[in-house]
Amino acid sequence: MRKVKSVIQPGCEPRVHRVVSYERIASEWKPDLSFLVSIQSDNERVGIEQLRTAGLSNLQWVQCELLEDGDVVVPHSAKGETVVLLRESDTHHALFLTNRCNSYCLMCSQPPTQTDDSWLIEEAIDAFRHIRKAPQVLGFTGGEPLLLGLRLRRILEALAAFHPNTKAEVLSNGRLLSDQKLAKEVLDGLSISVRWLVPLYAHADFVHDFVVQSPGAFDETVSGLLTLQAYQQEVQLRVVLIEPVLKVLPDLAGFVGRNLPFVREVAFMGCEPIGFALANRDSCEVDLSKWNDTLEQASRVLRRHAIPHLFMNAPLCALPKGLWPSASKSISDWKNVYAADCEGCSVKSDCSGLFAWHEKGWKPAPLKNMKAKEVHA
Ligand code: SF4
């Protein structure tokens, strides 16, 4: 989630607003939305104050070069910062629903807390109202969104009501869908197309349960996956490439092919060097270039079972060339950077690059700037 330094109208409430430039107020203003007007001069600030005095009390001003028209934001005037929830020009769009979780994964990028953050539910629904141009896909993350139970359903139905052409993606460990009562409440007759992004880390319970630090999680997740199949939901399996997972990756691929052939695809993901991953560096910091044979083997197994798969958060120079067609530019826009070593690399435009915080953590492999002739060799 981006936070940008801003000078905000004193007294502006910290709730959802849509950013609009001064010139576009007339074409975008609606009485039931809150607008944060991005001003460029004192004259524009005075103009907003006059409009407020005239009755347009849903206008507030902000000074910040980093905000864009259409941003859906929450301003915090006392802190002098604006949180950008959604940005129209981004490729990937996601809303954070809770920081609570029922797992405790070794490489969790967003370490869970127990604090009551149920206000995020209303914030998400308010964000839908303030979106100017509906995204094709909107992701929901946590924590574990299924801990919201019926309130997750409410969020999904609200998205369908405001933006019927937007597809939802829910990142969930799926464990709570082993509870058939909850599964029915959340999934039965759902009016929106949802893709469930479910992490699975091994073919065996003791490995998966170790990675997610939760005894019994493997059985619950597999049961949840079968429930998603029963409700004809689309599933992408997510496999984060840390050492305990890489050690069993071909076995996991075989398990998926034999037991979960209904999954739409498997996403192999480079580990994000942040959160618990930094504390569990021994298990999480891997040089993917040393595991290329394992990645190719897992890919071969999935191909044999006709299960599509892709590689996310993995730069091209960390992958064997044969897997490049399966590599995806997946890192969220605001987290995505390229290193100085990437300058002039001939495959940069197709490469996922790195997480912005790789300097504090690690790179997924030593970077290898590609010359055009090496690429075509
Ligand atoms: S050098 Fe940089 S741009 Fe080139 S493949 Fe590696 S990470 Fe990607």
Side-chain angles (χ1 to χ4, degrees):
M1 189 183 298
R2 288 184 187 94
K3 291 180 183 171
V4 291
K5 291 276 165 232
S6 323
V7 181
I8 302 161
Q9 178 167 332
C12 177
E13 285 185 41
R15 56 187 162 78
V16 176
H17 289 68
R18 182 199 290 171
V19 174
V20 63
S21 55
Y22 189 80
E23 308 80 59
R24 293 189 59 86
I25 297 172
S27 58
E28 289 200 23
W29 186 84
K30 288 184 183 159
D32 56 334
L33 300 183
S34 300
F35 291 93
L36 199 59
V37 184
S38 174
I39 56 166
Q40 307 292 327
S41 66
D42 278 351
N43 280 348
E44 291 185 354
R45 182 175 49 75
V46 171
I48 296 303
E49 280 161 9
Q50 286 170 343
L51 287 169
R52 284 176 55 79
T53 308
L56 302 190
S57 57
N58 59 348
L59 299 181
Q60 314 277 341
W61 56 261
V62 64
Q63 273 180 308
C64 175
E65 294 299 319
L66 298 174
L67 292 175
E68 296 180 8
D69 264 33
D71 280 356
V72 177
V73 301
V74 178
H76 295 272
S77 60
K79 288 193 202 162
E81 73 180 20
T82 302
V83 175
V84 182
L85 300 176
L86 296 167
R87 169 156 289 176
E88 212 171 90
S89 60
D90 280 349
T91 316
H92 308 279
H93 306 274
L95 284 172
F96 182 69
L97 294 184
T98 180
N99 206 40
R100 294 180 301 122
C101 194
N102 51 353
S103 292
Y104 219 63
C105 301
L106 291 175
M107 63 300 199
C108 179
S109 60
Q110 182 74 41
T113 54
Q114 293 308 318
T115 322
D116 176 13
D117 52 12
S118 50
W119 52 272
L120 287 166
I121 296 163
E122 296 310 320
E123 185 180 272
I125 293 172
D126 214 14
F128 303 157
R129 291 198 309 121
H130 283 80
I131 290 173
R132 184 171 67 170
K133 183 170 165 241
Q136 281 187 334
V137 179
L138 182 56
F140 295 102
T141 69
E144 171 50 52
L146 278 171
L147 285 172
L148 304 180
L150 258 182
R151 293 172 300 171
L152 175 61
R153 169 122 191 189
R154 188 173 149 237
I155 290 168
L156 294 171
E157 297 288 4
L159 178 62
F162 283 109
H163 304 290
N165 297 320
T166 296
K167 178 171 186 156
E169 285 188 343
V170 180
L171 179 59
S172 162
N173 60 41
R175 293 174 58 189
L176 291 170
L177 292 176
S178 60
D179 172 347
Q180 291 307 309
K181 180 169 174 289
L182 178 88
K184 190 171 187 338
E185 284 175 352
V186 174
L187 300 174
D188 197 25
L190 199 57
S191 64
I192 182 170
S193 167
V194 180
R195 170 185 274 206
W196 297 82
L197 316 176
V198 183
L200 187 67
Y201 296 125
H203 62 301
D205 55 1
F206 66 94
V207 183
H208 178 88
D209 291 359
F210 168 69
V211 172
V212 305
Q213 295 284 291
S214 306
F218 176 82
D219 288 346
E220 288 173 352
T221 290
V222 170
S223 166
L225 287 165
L226 297 173
T227 301
L228 287 169
Q229 153 74 348
Y231 282 93
Q232 299 183 321
Q233 299 289 301
E234 185 179 329
V235 175
Q236 180 195 71
L237 285 183
R238 296 206 143 186
V239 182
V240 181
L241 301 170
I242 62 171
E243 191 177 77
V245 178
L246 282 158
K247 281 180 174 166
V248 299
L249 202 66
D251 292 324
L252 170 59
F255 177 85
V256 172
R258 286 190 305 278
N259 300 295
L260 307 169
F262 54 84
V263 301
R264 181 62 58 94
E265 63 187 7
V266 177
F268 296 112
M269 310 180 70
C271 178
E272 192 170 345
I274 196 169
F276 284 160
L278 295 177
N280 296 310
R281 209 165 169 146
D282 285 358
S283 305
C284 300
E285 180 177 5
V286 292
D287 173 352
L288 284 179
S289 63
K290 294 193 174 146
W291 292 89
N292 275 190
D293 289 349
T294 301
L295 299 180
E296 284 177 317
Q297 200 185 339
S299 171
R300 266 197 308 277
V301 174
L302 287 178
R303 269 206 309 278
R304 209 161 51 234
H305 288 282
I307 294 187
H309 50 285
L310 70 159
F311 290 84
M312 298 172 70
N313 313 347
L316 291 178
C317 55
L319 296 174
K321 232 190 255 180
L323 297 182
W324 284 10
S326 307
S328 159
K329 291 185 72 172
S330 51
I331 299 178
S332 299
D333 309 64
W334 64 280
K335 305 178 179 179
N336 195 195
V337 296
Y338 293 85
D341 291 344
C342 302
E343 261 336 290
C345 177
S346 61
V347 296
K348 188 175 170 190
S349 61
D350 295 321
C351 174
S352 76
L354 302 162
F355 285 104
W357 26 86
H358 71 272
E359 295 292 1
K360 289 190 189 150
W362 57 83
K363 297 186 180 75
L367 301 190
K368 186 165 180 282
N369 190 307
M370 304 279 174
K371 305 285 171 262
K373 62 175 189 274
E374 292 175 73
V375 174
H376 299 297

